[in-house]
Amino acid sequence: MRILKWLSLAVAPVILSGCLEGNKNTDQLCESHEGLQCSELNMNDGQCRIPRTDLIWHRFEVLKQPTDAHKVKEYTLVAAYRKCLELASQLEPIDQSALKQRRFSALMHSIGELDRIVDELSDSKEPETLYFLWSQTGNTDARRSFLQLEGTKALNTAEMQYALATFYTTRDYPKTIALLKNALVLSNGKKVNTEIFKSLASVNHRLGNLEKAYMWAMVAKRFEVPIASQAELSVMYRFNAEKYQELNDIADIIEDAIQEGMFKASLVPTKWDKQS
């Protein structure tokens, strides 16, 4: 017992030192790089420390490499920091006037930064950036430019095929399905966007392709996507035991193919299609 107590006492300063060192490094980073604008981020406030720290370190990456991708991520981190500040502003601090004012100033700064990042990205022709501007800010010019790239190599990636599918989801169901399946083909065994499975299940259900809707729901389940319970699915689909087994077997085949980067659209049977 004494040995365990000694170990606990010995380890505690190391852990505490690591925490303090992390804070010290962030402070040093801020002091060394005025462009990080740390003075605008209400640095000594205990609220929103994690999103603030994440933002500061990513801003350092942006300073080194001001790519579109880094700026898009910066936008996401600023938005997370802003959300935290909005929640923190509802708290009543002991020193109300000073701290509330600093939080308000940081909130106004975050709003301005979101506008700044969007403005810096507004002239970009990168498909990922165009999709970001369209999907996150509602920029119709960006949407037009993005759609003009359809059929080109620029959109021939898993991410961009899914992005393109989101445009057609309410406009052209068969085309949406084709784009989503192509996104799976292009995933090549890498981390798969599981929203694809949910979308395939949903669109097939709307088309009346109930067997395929169930099958894609089962594929989603195999990728640990939360779905309805088996009892709820049984009420929705009412297949016989033989068909359930057949569809589950196909879901297994498709899962294996996706994991191995061998998925092909032809693995999905067409015999149940009510619309193509």
Side-chain angles (χ1 to χ4, degrees):
M1 181 65 70
R2 291 178 63 188
I3 294 175
L4 290 175
K5 183 177 180 181
W6 180 85
L7 285 173
S8 298
L9 292 173
V11 171
V14 174
I15 296 174
L16 182 59
S17 173
C19 293
L20 292 174
E21 185 64 23
N23 291 332
K24 182 180 179 181
N25 285 341
T26 301
D27 291 340
Q28 287 179 338
L29 190 70
C30 288
E31 291 173 5
S32 303
H33 298 87
E34 186 176 342
L36 298 177
Q37 304 181 72
C38 296
S39 61
E40 303 287 347
L41 299 178
N42 193 18
M43 291 297 292
N44 296 321
D45 191 351
Q47 295 292 327
C48 305
R49 179 180 58 83
I50 293 176
R52 181 175 60 239
T53 302
D54 289 343
L55 174 58
I56 289 169
W57 282 94
H58 184 70
R59 275 183 171 173
F60 183 51
E61 294 301 314
V62 176
L63 286 179
K64 293 188 293 183
Q65 292 182 300
T67 63
D68 280 9
H70 279 160
K71 290 179 182 180
V72 167
K73 184 176 180 181
E74 182 185 5
Y75 182 97
T76 303
L77 292 173
V78 173
Y81 181 52
R82 173 187 174 178
K83 183 177 181 180
C84 182
L85 287 169
E86 289 173 339
L87 293 174
S89 68
Q90 300 173 21
L91 302 176
E92 290 294 334
I94 297 176
D95 183 6
Q96 292 187 16
S97 58
L99 185 52
K100 287 183 74 172
Q101 180 57 47
R102 291 197 299 271
R103 285 177 181 171
F104 178 76
S105 296
L107 178 59
M108 291 300 100
H109 170 73
S110 68
I111 293 172
E113 284 298 280
L114 292 175
D115 291 338
R116 174 190 63 80
I117 295 168
V118 169
D119 186 59
E120 288 183 3
L121 293 171
S122 61
D123 293 329
S124 176
K125 301 303 179 186
E126 294 294 322
E128 294 84 0
T129 306
L130 292 172
Y131 179 66
F132 162 77
L133 292 171
W134 157 35
S135 62
Q136 299 300 312
T137 73
N139 187 314
T140 55
D141 289 336
R143 183 183 68 178
R144 187 181 306 109
S145 296
F146 178 82
L147 293 175
Q148 287 173 348
L149 295 174
E150 184 176 354
T152 69
K153 290 183 179 180
L155 298 190
N156 199 33
T157 66
E159 295 78 11
M160 292 300 96
Q161 288 289 284
Y162 173 77
L164 187 58
T166 64
F167 174 76
Y168 288 105
T169 299
T170 58
R171 296 173 173 84
D172 187 330
Y173 291 161
K175 186 167 186 176
T176 299
I177 290 173
L179 288 166
L180 291 170
K181 288 193 290 189
N182 199 37
L184 292 177
V185 172
L186 293 169
S187 294
N188 292 324
K190 299 175 184 176
K191 185 176 181 180
V192 179
N193 178 3
T194 55
E195 290 296 321
I196 295 173
F197 307 133
K198 293 193 287 185
S199 297
L200 282 166
S202 176
V203 174
N204 273 291
H205 196 92
R206 293 177 199 167
L207 283 172
N209 299 333
L210 299 185
E211 288 87 355
K212 285 188 175 181
Y214 175 84
M215 181 200 71
W216 284 114
M218 290 301 98
V219 174
K221 183 178 181 180
R222 285 156 173 75
F223 281 85
E224 301 183 352
V225 177
I227 63 170
S229 69
Q230 193 60 49
E232 292 169 325
L233 291 171
S234 297
V235 171
M236 290 173 62
Y237 295 107
R238 300 182 181 278
F239 302 140
N240 59 42
E242 183 179 353
K243 182 172 284 189
Y244 276 123
Q245 186 60 56
E246 181 181 9
L247 293 171
N248 279 302
D249 289 345
I250 296 170
D252 286 337
I253 293 170
I254 290 175
E255 178 207 4
D256 290 342
I258 292 170
Q259 296 279 26
E260 295 169 7
M262 301 295 290
F263 176 80
K264 298 181 294 183
S266 59
L267 290 174
V268 182
T270 59
K271 63 181 179 179
W272 297 299
D273 286 2
K274 290 183 173 57
Q275 297 186 49
S276 58

